[in-house]
């Protein structure tokens, strides 16, 4: 069972115990367009204490730059390099781990956020927001589904411009091009917005997984690559890192899989029942009512 | 192990043993635009012997009428009512089994073949080929994803006009409308054409299954509803019915699940290794080199 953090002494011990704090944002720092309680004050306090702060999001539709815009709007201090999205982590993974060859390109099934991050690491791509790939084909007209031996990876993320032409092209590359990597930014089945949920990144990857009969390498939470990307970029000691989130199956599982400690806050999706039940998907190291509680130390 | 049919006596016994012959077409009767061997002569012989002949296909993109066009073009005798597609079987299932209410409508994720068959049984629908549902929405613009309490079922089939708006709408109806049925014409992961394969009906249903976290009721092969639809429509005795096909995981499994005998021909996708291995997905009652072999009786 996780340790409940309730007193000033608990908070102080926690802050002293770790150097690097990774934050999920939705349900932890903000909900929609509103900061949750004193979350901002806690972040300021951690910075003042000399802690490193990072924000990790599965949202791959926007670049880190566009993500920073939200922080600015809410008056929360944040540098672009402190943001890790499943799109930026995917680009890093292709570049650093897979050593993606300069003469190859990535076929993108997703939005501009992925393209911007591939640009940032100098990897060529096709598909994505290219108008030629964002059209409906006529029924049974496969004339535009042709080979492209230059494609060395297919990278999928939430794509509100998903269409059959893109899937048929991606499927062809993955079947024909030897060693072509099949990657997904994340497999979230839904994403919450404005008090409801809509089909998520996992839903727009699903046609390809189904046709191929195999699953992609997943970069985002709860899988390991995004964490490894942060650790490698900065040379951090995992025993001094803490992941803070509101969802067991993404944030807390992300910490568990990556072997770092986790703190669950109760201001978002999951509550105590989530980790108290026998078949819990993940168990946090600590539980705290709200991130803002720590600001009492300030 | 299945019984090998090799002699005139074998063929004669088979023909006498059954009254109703169900045929898969691709890989059995034709391959692309060519009739396979003497398949046509065998069909003519069976008709002359007073047998009932039916054609069962998972292809839901075309109506039975449009399907008949292919028979006509190849000079093979066929009446529209002898064709059962996963689209016509879905419409029948909604009408006869689910007694779909007249004041409700079906939201279609698929092509005109499904709409035509719903028209044929007098069931109202939305989505499908409606231009309003076949557009790309702007990123994170959910203004057009609104409730519709009239939707009583979502029916998905291969949809080359698949798009996020349709999935988000279907997802909303399935979450909000109590008792809303989730159905798929078939779950074929791919479909073969012109010597290659492309994403199939299963691939275009997958986003919705993923977002919902549950599987649809499947009408087409290898599931039971299409066979039950034929049996109920005609009042046939299952012990006198034979399913003939080339694929173990669709055609032969279809007969196995529906408790009718099966004949596998070796002119299509699967070969002997398929049913000889220990974990075979299905086992045919009989094996025959080619459908045309039986025409020796003519």
């Amino acid at each position: 069972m996780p340790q409940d953090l309730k007193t000033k002494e608990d908070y102080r011990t926690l802050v002293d115990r770790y150097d690097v704090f990774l934050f999920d944002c939705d349900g932890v720092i903000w909900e929609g367009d509103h900061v949750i309680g004193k979350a901002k004050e806690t972040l300021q306090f951690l910075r003042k204490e000399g802690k490193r702060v990072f924000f990790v999001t599965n949202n791959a539709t926007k670049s880190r730059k566009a993500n920073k815009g939200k922080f600015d709007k809410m008056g929360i201090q944040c540098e672009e390099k402190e943001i890790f999205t499943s799109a930026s982590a995917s680009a890093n993974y292709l570049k650093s781990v897979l050593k993606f060859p300069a003469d190859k390109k990535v076929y993108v099934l997703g939005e501009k956020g992925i393209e911007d991050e591939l640009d940032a690491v100098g990897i060529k791509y096709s598909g994505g927001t290219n108008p030629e790939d964002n059209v409906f084909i006529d029924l049974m007209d496969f004339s535009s589904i042709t080979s492209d031996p230059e494609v060395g990876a297919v990278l999928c993320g939430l794509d509100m411009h998903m269409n059959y032409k893109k899937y048929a092209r991606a499927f062809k590359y993955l079947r024909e091009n030897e060693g072509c990597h099949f990657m997904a930014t994340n497999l979230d089945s839904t994403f919450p917005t404005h008090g409801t949920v809509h089909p998520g990144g996992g839903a727009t990857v699903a046609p390809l997984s189904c046709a191929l009969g195999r699953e992609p390498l997943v970069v985002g939470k709860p899988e390991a690559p995004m964490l490894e990307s942060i650790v490698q970029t900065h040379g951090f000691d995992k025993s001094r890192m803490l992941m803070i989130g509101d969802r067991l199956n993404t944030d807390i599982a992300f910490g568990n899989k990556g072997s770092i400690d986790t703190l669950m806050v109760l201001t978002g999706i999951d509550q105590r029942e989530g980790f108290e039940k026998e078949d819990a998907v993940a168990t946090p190291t600590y539980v705290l009512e709200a991130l803002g509680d720590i600001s009492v130390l300030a």
Side-chain angles (χ1 to χ4, degrees), chain A:
Chain A
M1 276 297 128
Q3 181 189 342
D4 260 293
L5 304 183
K6 291 187 169 171
T7 66
K8 274 178 93 158
E9 290 65 39
D10 291 342
Y11 308 156
R12 186 72 253 174
T13 308
L14 184 90
V15 172
D16 291 342
R17 171 75 185 76
Y18 302 96
D19 301 324
V20 181
F21 293 74
L22 309 181
F23 291 91
D24 172 49
C25 299
D26 226 22
V28 178
I29 296 171
W30 57 60
E31 190 190 344
D33 293 327
H34 303 279
V35 177
I36 298 173
K38 298 196 162 189
K40 192 156 125 182
E41 286 77 1
T42 295
L43 287 167
Q44 279 167 335
F45 169 72
L46 290 172
R47 288 186 187 279
K48 217 186 62 189
E49 292 272 310
K51 306 297 176 182
R52 300 294 298 271
V53 167
F54 293 92
F55 306 96
V56 292
T57 172
N58 269 358
N59 188 336
T61 62
K62 292 187 290 188
S63 65
R64 285 165 298 170
K65 194 184 185 122
N67 267 286
K68 183 174 175 335
K70 177 149 188 178
F71 285 88
D72 293 346
K73 220 168 62 184
M74 303 186 88
I76 298 172
Q77 185 188 340
C78 166
E79 288 177 58
E80 208 176 301
K81 63 173 193 271
E82 291 172 338
I83 302 174
F84 279 78
T85 74
S86 63
S88 65
S90 296
N92 283 345
Y93 189 88
L94 279 158
K95 189 79 178 177
S96 313
V97 182
L98 299 182
K99 314 282 180 207
F100 196 73
D103 60 338
K104 293 275 181 185
K105 64 187 173 192
V106 174
Y107 188 75
V108 176
L109 255 156
E111 301 284 352
K112 194 164 177 300
I114 295 178
E115 295 176 331
D116 287 346
E117 299 298 350
L118 290 172
D119 277 334
V121 296
I123 288 178
K124 289 187 295 180
Y125 55 85
S126 59
T129 62
N130 187 340
E132 209 243 307
D133 292 79
N134 289 281
V135 290
F136 297 116
I137 59 173
D138 288 337
L139 185 59
M140 302 297 167
D141 172 12
F142 301 105
S143 55
S144 63
I145 315 304
T146 50
S147 301
D148 186 348
E150 264 190 31
V151 174
V154 169
L155 174 55
C156 309
L158 178 60
D159 188 359
M160 295 202 183
H161 298 81
M162 64 193 287
N163 65 71
Y164 192 86
K165 187 177 186 178
K166 279 190 195 169
Y167 290 113
R169 286 187 160 179
F171 182 56
K172 191 171 182 69
Y173 306 146
L174 284 162
R175 290 185 74 231
E176 288 185 353
N177 298 1
E178 209 185 313
C180 187
H181 299 284
F182 176 31
M183 292 170 61
T185 58
N186 70 92
L187 291 188
D188 298 2
S189 58
T190 60
F191 74 87
T193 179
H194 298 88
T196 185
V197 290
H198 295 289
T204 65
V205 178
L208 210 43
S209 311
C210 171
L212 288 165
R214 64 187 172 96
E215 293 299 318
L217 180 142
V218 181
V219 175
K221 295 181 283 183
E223 302 307 324
M226 189 151 64
L227 183 62
E228 297 306 328
S229 169
I230 300 170
V231 171
Q232 280 173 23
T233 306
H234 296 279
F236 288 141
D237 172 2
K238 276 190 176 186
S239 73
R240 304 286 295 172
M241 295 174 80
L242 182 71
M243 171 69 203
I244 300 161
D246 67 317
R247 296 184 70 156
L248 287 163
N249 66 355
T250 50
D251 305 318
I252 306 305
F254 175 68
N256 289 178
K257 287 196 188 200
S259 303
I260 67 170
D261 287 346
T262 54
L263 168 65
M264 178 170 163
V265 294
L266 304 176
T267 49
I269 304 252
D270 287 322
Q271 297 301 314
R272 286 182 187 278
E273 308 85 76
F275 57 77
E276 280 171 353
K277 63 182 180 189
E278 261 191 46
D279 57 342
V281 290
T283 311
T285 317
Y286 312 99
V287 188
L288 178 71
E289 278 300 319
L291 180 59
D293 293 355
I294 294 173
S295 70
V296 73
L297 297 176

